[in-house]
Amino acid sequence: LANPSTEVREAAKACLNILVEVTGCSTTALLLPSRDRLLVPIFGKPLRALPHNMQIGNIDAITYCLGLDPPFLEINEELLRLLSEALALADAEDQALVNHPTQVHSSTASLTHLRHVCIRMLTAAMARPEFADEKNSPTRARIISVFFKSLYHKSVEVVDAANDGLKQVLRQQQKLPRDLLQTGLRPILINLSDYKRLTVASLDGLARLLQLLTNYFKAEVGRKLLDHMQQWANPQLLQAAAERSIEDMHEIKILVAILQVFHLLPPLASVLLDDLVSSVVNLEVHLCRRESSPFRKPLFKFLNRYPSESVVYFTERIESAHYARIFCHAISSPECGPL
């Protein structure tokens, strides 16, 4: 279960599943006779003293054990020390996880995997009811902070794990501490302050946070994004782009990513309907695109969110050819059921 090879670990888990089916025993009951053989080597050495693949194997084994029912692991000093080590690894920069800075590039895959398994183990620990004790509050706060920080990581694998971690936290506690929330949201809010700071990754991060924490955001975020859209929608650039393939253009990717956020905004964002549709119409006119426009699908998600308001809005403008075309395209699209 703690082997450095992913394939060996997965094979071991598959074998245990077969034994559970054949014997009718729980995985916990099957592992108990071998408890020391599994855990003593893992708890016996600090993680940082091991190569990356052995660190990953040990952490993955503990994650597996934390998820067993009935419980196999106690939340004791040994486990808390390992969690603290994993927390430090997940929080560290890549340069701090290698012996020499020149090794960062060649170790990118293993460092990403290490960060990923650390976050998964921290999530598994957070799910344990006994870990919610008051004495573990400082550790829980640090873990939540690392989940937020990891949402901005360049690896989708790490971001997905952090997203799952925050989901787990929110299942247990409806309200997050104000200081943790402010620290966690600060990078996104800084990026939102200047249109030049926007990237596809930061906008994807904003979308994820809106899905998790809708009640913590105000509809004014949408107004700010509309302002940024105007900055990115340079008429000269759009007209020049009309004559070539636009899918790989950086500016178009940013505009699409901005539009992908609107359907996730709080309910009061329905007041942005006119400004949003007008912005898309303006973009399409300059790009000379209609049904092939990359802006339609994200717009349709917003219209689906407010179907009644959208129908009233478009029927009032049905005499405008471009608005009528968007409306017809929307109601003929399979993904627009609510509309």
Side-chain angles (χ1 to χ4, degrees):
L1 282 171
N3 194 278
S5 164
T6 302
E7 289 78 8
V8 173
R9 293 196 303 275
E10 293 306 314
K13 293 171 191 174
C15 290
L16 282 168
N17 288 339
I18 292 170
L19 285 169
V20 167
E21 289 180 24
V22 171
T23 63
C25 295
S26 67
T27 308
T28 300
L30 291 171
L31 286 177
L32 277 174
S34 307
R35 181 188 177 92
D36 288 347
R37 187 174 180 186
L38 171 63
L39 298 181
V40 168
I42 293 176
F43 292 135
K45 267 192 174 181
L47 287 173
R48 291 296 289 267
L50 304 171
H52 290 150
N53 60 348
M54 290 185 70
Q55 292 182 42
I56 290 167
N58 286 354
I59 292 167
D60 194 45
I62 295 298
T63 304
Y64 178 77
C65 292
L66 280 168
L68 294 178
D69 187 27
F72 176 74
L73 286 177
E74 297 174 21
I75 304 294
N76 56 21
E77 287 303 315
E78 285 183 317
L79 181 58
L80 289 172
R81 179 184 56 76
L82 191 76
L83 288 173
S84 181
E85 288 184 76
L87 185 54
L89 290 172
D91 197 25
E93 299 301 324
D94 284 355
Q95 291 84 348
L97 300 178
V98 293
N99 294 325
H100 195 277
T102 56
Q103 296 176 320
V104 170
H105 183 70
S106 60
S107 304
T108 299
S110 62
L111 292 175
T112 299
H113 195 186
L114 176 60
R115 207 177 290 278
H116 174 249
V117 295
C118 284
I119 293 170
R120 283 184 58 244
M121 183 173 78
L122 296 172
T123 302
M126 292 287 271
R128 291 284 292 268
E130 60 268 47
F131 194 61
D133 286 352
E134 188 66 32
K135 64 181 180 182
N136 294 319
S137 293
T139 305
R140 287 179 62 87
R142 283 186 62 206
I143 290 173
I144 294 170
S145 178
V146 166
F147 287 163
F148 270 116
K149 179 181 176 180
S150 300
L151 281 179
Y152 310 113
H153 196 269
K154 55 185 177 291
S155 162
V156 175
E157 183 184 21
V158 171
V159 171
D160 286 344
N163 196 54
D164 290 342
L166 281 172
K167 281 182 183 176
Q168 174 59 47
V169 172
L170 291 167
R171 277 195 288 268
Q172 293 175 310
Q173 56 187 92
Q174 293 298 312
K175 210 164 186 181
L176 293 175
R178 186 179 181 85
D179 55 337
L180 276 179
L181 194 63
Q182 288 177 336
T183 304
L185 296 180
R186 188 173 295 127
I188 281 289
L189 298 177
I190 289 172
N191 285 333
L192 274 177
S193 65
D194 181 2
Y195 83 97
K196 292 178 182 176
R197 285 177 173 267
L198 291 183
T199 63
V200 172
S202 69
L203 288 161
D204 286 348
L206 173 60
R208 286 175 182 275
L209 284 170
L210 279 165
Q211 287 175 297
L212 288 171
L213 305 164
T214 306
N215 296 334
Y216 293 93
F217 286 88
K218 295 181 180 179
E220 281 75 11
V221 171
R223 188 69 62 191
K224 192 74 176 174
L225 289 171
L226 283 168
D227 292 341
H228 291 337
M229 276 183 68
Q230 300 305 318
Q231 297 286 344
W232 281 100
N234 183 300
Q236 289 77 27
L237 183 141
L238 293 174
Q239 287 166 2
E243 300 174 7
R244 55 197 176 95
S245 174
I246 61 172
E247 282 70 24
D248 295 325
M249 284 185 60
H250 175 65
E251 292 82 2
I252 300 300
K253 287 181 178 179
I254 293 286
L255 288 166
V256 170
I258 292 174
L259 285 166
Q260 291 282 15
V261 171
F262 280 87
H263 75 284
L264 300 170
L265 292 170
L268 289 175
S270 59
V271 299
L272 302 173
L273 178 61
D274 182 32
D275 290 327
L276 186 62
V277 176
S278 299
S279 296
V280 170
V281 167
N282 185 54
L283 288 169
E284 292 185 350
V285 167
H286 284 106
L287 273 176
C288 302
R289 295 289 198 283
R290 292 180 184 172
E291 290 198 10
S292 65
S293 162
F295 312 121
R296 293 277 175 104
K297 282 193 174 181
L299 175 63
F300 291 172
K301 290 179 182 177
F302 185 82
L303 302 183
N304 265 342
R305 178 91 189 276
Y306 309 103
S308 300
E309 295 91 331
S310 298
V311 168
V312 171
Y313 176 81
F314 279 102
T315 50
E316 289 175 350
R317 292 160 180 77
I318 206 71
E319 292 181 7
S320 167
H322 207 115
Y323 284 81
R325 280 195 290 266
I326 289 177
F327 188 44
C328 289
H329 186 192
I331 58 177
S332 65
S333 296
E335 64 264 31
C336 284
L339 195 65

